[in-house]
Amino acid sequence: MSLITPDFGLFFWMTVVFLVVLFILWKYGFPVIVKMVDERKAFIDESLRKAHEANERLANIQKEGESILQEAREKQAQILKEAAETRDAIVEKAQDKARQEGVRLLDDARAAIEQEKKAAIADIRKQVATLSVEIAEKVLKQNLKDDKAQMDLIERMLDEVSSK
């Protein structure tokens, strides 16, 4: 029965040992443990603060990145718009130049055609005049073989001139 109900001497020495161990722990053990717990708490608090700052910096960096991307997109759109305007202006200028060149070439071609037409008409007139003279010469040679025919022609011409 001594295990269930301890006697007074055992109880006394257990209390003394407990108080000695408690005093030693209180004097030397608990301050070290409390100090370690406080340091650990401070380390955890500092880590949480740094993590919070890192999250804030990351959020700021993300915002800056988004604003930079938005600005880059706007600049890209502006550059593309300017490039399209420049392209349209160049195309319009080239079309105007092509139209002007086409009009000039058509005018030059018309002038050349008109000049060749006049030259052809002059050549045809010259050929017609030459042929007419040759035909007239042949006709006159045939009609004026003798003196009587020549005299009849001269009289007819004089009559025509005088009737006018």
Side-chain angles (χ1 to χ4, degrees):
M1 203 53 159
S2 69
L3 284 177
I4 295 177
T5 58
D7 63 355
F8 182 75
L10 181 63
F11 185 70
F12 172 77
W13 287 115
M14 284 177 64
T15 305
V16 170
V17 170
F18 175 76
L19 289 176
V20 169
V21 170
L22 182 65
F23 175 76
I24 292 173
L25 283 176
W26 193 266
K27 183 76 175 168
Y28 299 107
F30 286 143
V32 172
I33 293 171
V34 169
K35 181 181 173 191
M36 288 174 49
V37 168
D38 287 343
E39 287 175 358
R40 180 72 178 153
K41 182 181 178 284
F43 176 75
I44 290 171
D45 289 344
E46 182 67 19
S47 295
L48 287 174
R49 187 186 61 77
K50 286 181 180 179
H52 182 67
E53 288 176 2
N55 281 337
E56 287 179 358
R57 277 189 277 167
L58 181 61
N60 288 338
I61 289 172
Q62 285 176 339
K63 287 179 184 176
E64 283 182 29
E66 289 174 7
S67 66
I68 289 171
L69 281 174
Q70 182 63 29
E71 186 178 325
R73 286 185 192 116
E74 290 172 1
K75 283 184 180 180
Q76 179 187 17
Q78 181 182 4
I79 290 170
L80 289 174
K81 181 181 175 186
E82 289 174 0
E85 290 173 356
T86 303
R87 180 199 66 213
D88 292 342
I90 290 171
V91 168
E92 184 66 30
K93 191 174 182 180
Q95 286 175 343
D96 287 343
K97 190 172 183 179
R99 281 189 211 107
Q100 291 173 355
E101 186 67 17
V103 167
R104 185 188 66 78
L105 289 174
L106 282 175
D107 289 344
D108 289 350
R110 285 184 183 129
I113 290 170
E114 187 64 32
Q115 198 172 23
E116 288 180 23
K117 180 180 168 185
K118 287 180 182 178
I121 290 173
D123 188 44
I124 290 173
R125 284 186 180 165
K126 184 178 176 185
Q127 288 178 1
V128 167
T130 304
L131 285 174
S132 296
V133 169
E134 287 177 5
I135 291 173
E137 185 181 326
K138 288 181 182 180
V139 168
L140 285 176
K141 279 185 184 179
Q142 266 187 350
N143 286 340
L144 302 177
K145 285 185 184 177
D146 57 11
D147 289 336
K148 183 177 185 244
Q150 287 178 7
M151 288 308 287
D152 286 341
L153 181 61
I154 291 172
E155 285 179 16
R156 265 187 303 176
M157 288 184 145
L158 287 176
D159 287 340
E160 285 178 13
V161 170
S162 60
S163 66
K164 287 186 180 179

